[in-house]
């Protein structure tokens, strides 16, 4: 048995204790390596990008979709600003989508016309939270408007300069229901 002195305290360390410490360190190291391997294999350690595949992992996509909805919801009441894509200055419709997905590590195009083409087309009756909803309007610069589907017929968007980021309901708003063209779903690798 050896006696070690550290600062004002003395303690004893036996070869048996040293063996326990070494085993404990090895176990922690192996657990850490295993965790890193699992994160790498599942893709959690890298940035996620939307791809153009129609294949989708239901659980992963729905969880990420809900996260995107939650992120966008934090911006309710923020002012509309043409070309805006940040909480500081406000959002236009495509800027809200761009920012919300980006905050969740997912790359989407910045402009509405490109957002209307990203991912795969989804039937309106099959929309899930986090899907991009595309509307045909006369007022928008390119004739399109986009939002993020929340669920239960509702979507979050930044509609126009007279408004703020808000949630609208397709079942009660004939204006938006008549103009809804499609949904777009990003598949994640």
């Amino acid at each position: 048995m050896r006696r070690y002195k550290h600062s004002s305290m003395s303690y004893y360390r036996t070869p048996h204790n040293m063996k326990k410490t070494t085993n404990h360190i090895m176990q922690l190291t192996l657990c850490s390596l295993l965790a890193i391997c699992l994160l790498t294999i599942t893709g959690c350690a890298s940035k996620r990008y939307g791809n153009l595949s129609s294949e989708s992992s239901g659980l992963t996509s729905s969880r990420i979709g809900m996260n995107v909805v939650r992120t966008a919801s934090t911006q309710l009441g923020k002012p509309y600003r043409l070309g805006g894509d940040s909480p500081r200055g406000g959002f236009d419709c495509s800027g809200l989508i761009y920012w919300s997905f980006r905050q969740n590590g997912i790359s989407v195009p910045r402009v509405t016309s490109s957002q209307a083409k990203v991912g795969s087309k989804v039937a309106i009756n099959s929309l899930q939270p986090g899907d991009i909803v595309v509307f045909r309007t006369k007022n928008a610069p390119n004739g399109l408007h986009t939002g993020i589907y929340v669920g239960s017929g509702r979507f979050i968007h930044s509609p126009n300069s007279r408004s703020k980021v808000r949630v609208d309901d397709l079942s009660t708003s004939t204006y938006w229901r008549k103009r809804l063209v499609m949904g777009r779903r990003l598949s994640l690798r």
Side-chain angles (χ1 to χ4, degrees), residues 85-96:
D85 62 2
S86 74
R88 223 185 232 192
F91 296 95
D92 63 11
C93 66
S94 60
L96 177 65

Side-chain angles (χ1 to χ4, degrees), residues 128-149:
Q128 294 177 2
D131 287 345
I132 297 172
V133 285
V134 182
F135 301 88
R136 170 89 43 213
T137 63
K138 294 177 187 170
N139 303 340
N142 59 13
L144 296 174
H145 176 73
T146 52
I148 300 171
Y149 189 72

Side-chain angles (χ1 to χ4, degrees), residues 22 26 36-37 56 61 74 105 110 115 128 166 179 184:
T22 304
M26 286 181 62
I36 290 169
C37 288
S56 174
S61 293
T74 65
R110 170 62 184 87
Q115 288 176 355
Q128 294 177 2
R166 69 180 192 218
R179 288 162 178 77
R184 305 297 298 187

Side-chain angles (χ1 to χ4, degrees), residues 1-17:
M1 188 177 338
R2 292 186 179 161
R3 181 175 179 198
Y4 295 93
K5 186 163 184 155
H6 178 61
S7 144
S8 62
M9 295 175 31
S10 293
Y11 60 94
Y12 294 92
R13 189 173 221 166
T14 63
H16 178 39
N17 286 343

Side-chain angles (χ1 to χ4, degrees), residues 32-177:
S32 297
L33 288 172
L34 180 61
I36 290 169
C37 288
L38 287 173
L39 287 172
T40 303
I41 290 169
T42 60
C44 294
S46 63
K47 186 173 180 181
R48 296 176 299 237
Y49 291 92
N51 69 25
L52 302 179
S53 162
S54 62
E55 297 173 14
S56 174
S57 166
L59 180 61
T60 303
S61 293
S62 64
R63 184 176 64 232
I64 292 168
M66 288 304 298
N67 288 343
V68 169
V69 168
R70 266 189 234 101
T71 301
S73 297
T74 65
Q75 302 308 305
L76 286 169
K78 294 284 183 183
Y80 176 93
R81 185 173 64 94
L82 183 63
D85 62 2
S86 74
R88 223 185 232 192
F91 296 95
D92 63 11
C93 66
S94 60
L96 177 65
I97 291 171
Y98 174 79
W99 181 84
S100 300
F101 277 89
R102 189 179 66 200
Q103 296 305 304
N104 286 279
I106 303 165
S107 177
V108 297
R110 170 62 184 87
V111 295
T112 306
S113 57
S114 297
Q115 288 176 355
K117 297 173 187 167
V118 73
S120 56
K121 189 174 180 177
V122 178
I124 293 168
N125 62 353
S126 298
L127 290 170
Q128 294 177 2
D131 287 345
I132 297 172
V133 285
V134 182
F135 301 88
R136 170 89 43 213
T137 63
K138 294 177 187 170
N139 303 340
N142 59 13
L144 296 174
H145 176 73
T146 52
I148 300 171
Y149 189 72
V150 173
S152 302
R154 297 172 302 142
F155 67 101
I156 186 168
H157 64 134
S158 186
N160 57 52
S161 59
R162 300 176 310 277
S163 189
K164 298 179 180 200
V165 174
R166 69 180 192 218
V167 174
D168 276 319
D169 193 327
L170 292 167
S171 63
T172 59
S173 173
T174 52
Y175 177 85
W176 292 114
R177 187 175 55 245

